[in-house]
Amino acid sequence: MEGKQQLCTPSCRPTPAVQPSTEAPVSKQQLCTPSCRPTPAVQPSTEAPVDRLSQSFDSIKKYLFVTGTALCVFAAARNSITWHIQQFWGVSGDFWQYGWLQLYDVFGRDPWTLCVFGTIIVTTIPYWIFASLFLLVDATGKPAFILRYKVQPEKNVPVDPVKLFKAVCTVLFNQTVIAVPFIMLFYRLFVWRGVEFTPELPTFQWVMVELIVFSLVEELGFYYSHRMLHHPALYKHVHKVHHEWNAPISVISLYAHPVEHILSNMLPPLLGPLLMGSHIATVWLWFIIALFSSIVAHCGYHMPFLPSPEAHDFHHQKFINNFGVLGVLDRLHGTDNLFRASKAYQRHFLLLCWTPVTQQVPDDPKLKSK
């Protein structure tokens, strides 16, 4: 006689006994569908939060150290340089005062002529002398050894003559059609503020103090005006002209839309002298220094014994980060984070030897192969 289990229909056949599994039990989280899988727990960061204020103080301390050291060296060398120049020219008395009196007479001792025509001449001639030194290498590729110091070795070798001609014409337009009326307007402000157009020069020590103030005021003016120009509404119509050059060259330091030339190239350097009511000779000295700094920042070469152009060159490559001159406000606002994480930041130092920074801090082989 068959058992009851054998007489059962297929639908009622008992389910075979399930063997106990030797695997670990499955948790509820493992049985969830992909859409309900829990997000892995984020491990708490062990890094200390970035204190932008302390970073800014650190940048200011570095700037003051570098500037103070440079001023001390310059002050120590000044007497020696002056003595040798006096011996060479056979000039008695203060060489600088004597030279200023000669120049003062050339301009007819007229404040308006000194301010307008003097400023245009004193800024235009040094600009083209400095810029042409780098421009000669860009156009000819000679002397070839300087090409070792290019920040972007594959760019502008040689420079595009059509783009270069356009840049030169734009710079000349800015230096004449835009700059002359603007300086004429600023002359009224200089007179109102008490800027000196006298035959007596200020003391050397006071000039050094004023130059420090000028550089700090320029940092404020240039950073915020430059960052404003990166607003989409202004960038497309104004600042994009300057950024046509992803790999900058010396001459494009003043290659800009007329609005930008006024807001960022001319106004920030003028604010310091206006604030201090400086002597016009000090103003001229400051303009020459500011132009030299801008040319080096755009030159595209990280040359020995010259300030590093890495920060502003990075700005031209990426269009973001490094809006200022000194880097103090970039540190404060966190607009140098990408730069500080890049190879360019590791190369951002004063080169005191003849070995190019690209050899001292080479590119990542993986990135280079790409």
Side-chain angles (χ1 to χ4, degrees):
M1 183 175 179
E2 297 180 359
K4 292 181 179 180
Q5 290 182 350
Q6 293 174 333
L7 295 176
C8 289
T9 62
S11 61
C12 66
R13 287 177 182 169
T15 304
V18 179
Q19 298 295 327
S21 174
T22 58
E23 299 178 357
V26 180
S27 65
K28 290 182 180 180
Q29 290 183 347
Q30 291 172 319
L31 292 176
C32 289
T33 61
S35 61
C36 68
R37 286 177 182 168
T39 304
V42 179
Q43 297 296 326
S45 174
T46 57
E47 298 180 357
V50 178
D51 187 347
R52 289 181 181 174
L53 186 59
S54 64
Q55 288 181 342
S56 301
F57 283 134
D58 181 55
S59 294
I60 293 173
K61 286 190 294 184
K62 289 180 179 179
Y63 165 73
L64 292 177
F65 173 77
V66 173
T67 306
T69 302
L71 291 178
C72 288
V73 172
F74 184 66
R78 184 228 184 203
N79 290 336
S80 177
I81 294 172
T82 303
W83 184 86
H84 285 290
I85 293 176
Q86 288 173 344
Q87 293 300 313
F88 179 77
W89 291 105
V91 178
S92 60
D94 190 326
F95 171 80
W96 304 111
Q97 181 65 56
Y98 178 84
W100 169 247
L101 287 175
Q102 299 301 308
L103 191 60
Y104 195 69
D105 289 335
V106 168
F107 287 102
R109 296 177 172 249
D110 178 58
W112 189 90
T113 306
L114 276 168
C115 184
V116 178
F117 290 103
T119 300
I120 296 299
I121 293 172
V122 165
T123 55
T124 302
I125 293 177
Y127 173 85
W128 285 107
I129 292 175
F130 294 154
S132 296
L133 296 176
F134 296 104
L135 199 56
L136 181 65
V137 183
D138 289 323
T140 66
K142 297 178 182 179
F145 77 91
I146 294 183
L147 297 177
R148 300 166 57 227
Y149 299 100
K150 280 186 71 67
V151 179
Q152 301 184 54
E154 72 285 356
K155 302 290 182 65
N156 298 322
V157 186
V159 67
D160 184 344
V162 177
K163 288 183 66 178
L164 177 59
F165 180 75
K166 179 185 175 183
V168 170
C169 291
T170 302
V171 171
L172 289 172
F173 178 83
N174 286 338
Q175 289 179 320
T176 53
V177 178
I178 302 300
V180 173
F182 187 78
I183 295 298
M184 292 173 66
L185 175 64
F186 235 81
Y187 168 72
R188 300 297 177 185
L189 293 175
F190 276 175
V191 172
W192 167 80
R193 179 60 187 87
V195 170
E196 298 179 0
F197 300 93
T198 60
E200 294 80 22
L201 288 176
T203 64
F204 175 76
Q205 292 79 6
W206 181 244
V207 171
M208 294 297 102
V209 171
E210 287 190 311
L211 290 177
I212 294 175
V213 174
F214 295 169
S215 63
L216 294 175
V217 173
E218 184 197 27
E219 171 75 356
L220 286 167
F222 183 77
Y223 178 88
Y224 291 112
S225 64
H226 187 191
R227 194 168 180 183
M228 177 185 67
L229 290 171
H230 274 264
H231 187 280
L234 291 174
Y235 180 85
K236 181 179 180 181
H237 302 288
V238 178
H239 194 45
K240 189 176 181 180
V241 174
H242 185 69
H243 274 284
E244 289 174 3
W245 292 78
N246 296 341
I249 61 174
S250 59
V251 75
I252 74 152
S253 55
L254 296 183
Y255 175 68
H257 188 282
V259 173
E260 177 180 354
H261 187 59
I262 293 173
L263 291 179
S264 279
N265 292 342
M266 299 184 67
L267 190 58
L270 280 165
L271 293 177
L274 186 64
L275 175 69
M276 300 294 290
S278 306
H279 193 283
I280 189 63
T282 308
V283 178
W284 288 356
L285 175 62
W286 163 240
F287 285 169
I288 293 172
I289 294 173
L291 282 171
F292 176 77
S293 173
S294 181
I295 289 171
V296 172
H298 288 89
C299 73
Y301 297 90
H302 194 152
M303 297 293 295
F305 312 108
L306 289 181
S308 168
E310 299 286 346
H312 197 70
D313 202 282
F314 185 87
H315 174 78
H316 273 264
Q317 291 183 57
K318 306 298 183 182
F319 302 144
I320 55 176
N321 271 208
N322 303 341
F323 297 99
V325 178
L326 304 176
V328 176
L329 290 176
D330 280 302
R331 195 78 178 271
L332 176 64
H333 292 292
T335 50
D336 63 350
N337 291 339
L338 292 178
F339 173 63
R340 294 173 65 80
S342 69
K343 282 284 184 179
Y345 180 72
Q346 298 178 35
R347 298 167 178 163
H348 188 46
F349 56 85
L350 180 65
L351 184 60
L352 297 176
C353 65
W354 300 107
T355 305
V357 292
T358 50
Q359 295 181 17
Q360 298 184 43
V361 185
D363 289 324
D364 188 339
K366 295 181 180 178
L367 295 175
K368 198 172 182 179
S369 63
K370 294 180 181 181

